[in-house]
Amino acid sequence: MDLFNVLAIILTLTALFSYANYKSFGLPVTIGVMIISLVFSLILIALNEVLPGLDESARLLLDSINFDDTLLHGMLSFLLFAGALHVNIQDLAERKYSITSLATAGTLISVIIVGVSTWLLLPVFNINIPFLYCLLFGAIISPTDPIAVLGLLKTAGAPKSLEIKITGESLFNDGIGVVVFLAILEVITGAHEMSIGSVMLLFVKETAGGIAVGLILGYIAFLMLKSVDNYKVEILITLALTTGGYALADFLHISGPIAIVVAGLLIGNHGRFLAMSEQTRLHLDIFWELVDEILNAVLFVMIGMEILALSFNGNYLLLCIIIIPVVLFARFVSIGVPIKILSTFRSFSPGVVRIMTWGGLRGGISVALALSIPGTPEQRQLILAMTYSVVLFSILVQGLTIKRVVKRLC
């Protein structure tokens, strides 16, 4: 199927599901379209008994999209830039120690807890996969998804300080998670030997390189924005920064997500106030808000349809149910330990650990990473099934109840 037809089908489904959600359910757009997409996919599977080959056609559509490539090397740059554009860098700087420790140490703690717990749990179900694949699952599922988190925080009503911590953590820990994922993957594929030194070198190169490239490209874009006063040209400059910056980071083998977040923060703060007129700011905000909303809706429709790519058996189903509280426990510890240490130096909002645990949503990035792993069909299907189960629970249960949790604990 050619690219235009694929885009036409996905955008049409997204528009129809968004319309149905608006007219009938009134849920947040991302959650509403994902639920409808999930139900639609389940109906296709059921109808396959009557019309053989129907769900196979849908799977061919998904295969032609190549979810992991579409998200990780396409949509992600736009979504991260749109998210970072409206974050106050001064607020982040005031909480830099909290955000840094949660995004780095917190993510690594979660990777280890999830990886070890999964490795100990699998033999109970007579499933055996190498320990490194269990750690890989930990790296896939530990980072929270800024795309899912930012959309729901707008309506959750969390205290500002808590909202900034969750936003800052989610913007950076997905970049850290991708770096950890790549480090483990290179060890599995034999590109690097298993040594702390080589893994740390890769980690520093990806992270520091991403920050440096983000700052350099962001500053160049800032100078260009400052030298013109035409919102059409300035929007094109931000588009070039987003796409070209991510492509350059990929080419240099450094963290694209971190580079784009840093560039977005620079343009959204210094660029917004020192290089743009009021008219440009208005048009830029409207443009990136539309990009964000449209791509979010498309992404969550695709997440709902990814159930067509899974194959569950009885063992997998029970394991997927059990793995959800394991991931939540890992999230609780990975938030609780850094917060406990930092609480000796500064105060935190009431219920911060519980709110950040429940508000740590997983989304498309985790699904995309799971789809990109090599290995045997059993290893790949197992990790994909566990990842998808956690993502579904995260968005449908945690996403729909986070507002009540915030109101009860704050």
Side-chain angles (χ1 to χ4, degrees), residues 91-100 161 164-165 346:
D91 290 336
L92 290 182
E94 289 173 4
R95 297 160 182 84
K96 57 183 177 293
Y97 298 116
S98 303
I99 291 169
T100 302
S161 61
I164 293 163
K165 285 188 190 75
R346 59 183 305 157

Side-chain angles (χ1 to χ4, degrees), residues 76 80 143-146 169-179 257 365:
L76 184 59
L80 288 175
T144 54
D145 191 330
E169 183 216 6
S170 66
L171 279 171
F172 286 102
N173 76 359
D174 70 298
I176 300 297
V178 171
V179 171
I365 292 173

Side-chain angles (χ1 to χ4, degrees), residues 143-343:
T144 54
D145 191 330
I147 299 155
V149 172
L150 292 173
L152 289 171
L153 276 180
K154 294 172 186 174
T155 58
K160 185 182 177 184
S161 61
L162 181 57
E163 184 179 333
I164 293 163
K165 285 188 190 75
I166 297 174
T167 300
E169 183 216 6
S170 66
L171 279 171
F172 286 102
N173 76 359
D174 70 298
I176 300 297
V178 171
V179 171
V180 175
F181 171 84
L182 291 173
I184 298 170
L185 193 60
E186 291 201 2
V187 174
I188 288 174
T189 56
H192 280 86
E193 292 182 6
M194 183 64 174
S195 71
I196 294 176
S198 63
V199 171
M200 286 301 295
L201 184 63
L202 178 66
F203 185 83
V204 170
K205 176 195 168 190
E206 290 265 351
T207 306
I211 292 171
V213 167
L215 285 172
I216 292 167
L217 295 181
Y219 185 67
I220 292 170
F222 166 75
L223 293 177
M224 293 174 70
L225 292 169
K226 196 174 180 180
S227 66
V228 297
D229 185 16
N230 183 303
Y231 71 85
K232 297 172 186 175
V233 174
E234 292 178 75
I235 288 172
L236 278 172
I237 290 170
T238 60
L239 275 172
L241 171 62
T242 306
T243 53
Y246 202 94
L248 178 62
D250 263 0
F251 176 75
L252 297 174
H253 301 292
I254 58 177
S255 177
I258 291 176
I260 293 304
V261 166
V262 170
L265 288 171
L266 196 153
I267 297 300
N269 288 268
H270 299 294
R272 178 187 297 277
F273 297 109
L274 300 176
M276 297 179 194
S277 65
E278 186 62 38
Q279 184 187 36
T280 297
R281 282 197 291 271
L282 177 63
H283 282 92
L284 189 79
D285 286 345
I286 291 171
F287 173 80
W288 280 104
E289 185 179 339
L290 280 172
V291 169
D292 188 42
E293 292 290 337
I294 292 168
L295 290 184
N296 260 303
V298 169
L299 172 61
F300 280 80
V301 166
M302 289 166 62
I303 291 174
M305 293 182 68
E306 277 300 320
I307 196 169
L308 294 167
L310 303 181
S311 56
F312 285 96
N313 57 39
N315 260 6
Y316 279 15
L317 195 56
L318 183 57
L319 174 62
C320 289
I321 293 170
I322 293 172
I323 210 70
I324 292 168
V326 170
V327 171
L328 281 172
F329 172 74
R331 172 74 177 167
F332 180 80
V333 175
S334 68
I335 294 295
V337 170
I339 293 291
K340 184 69 176 173
I341 294 170
L342 290 169
S343 62

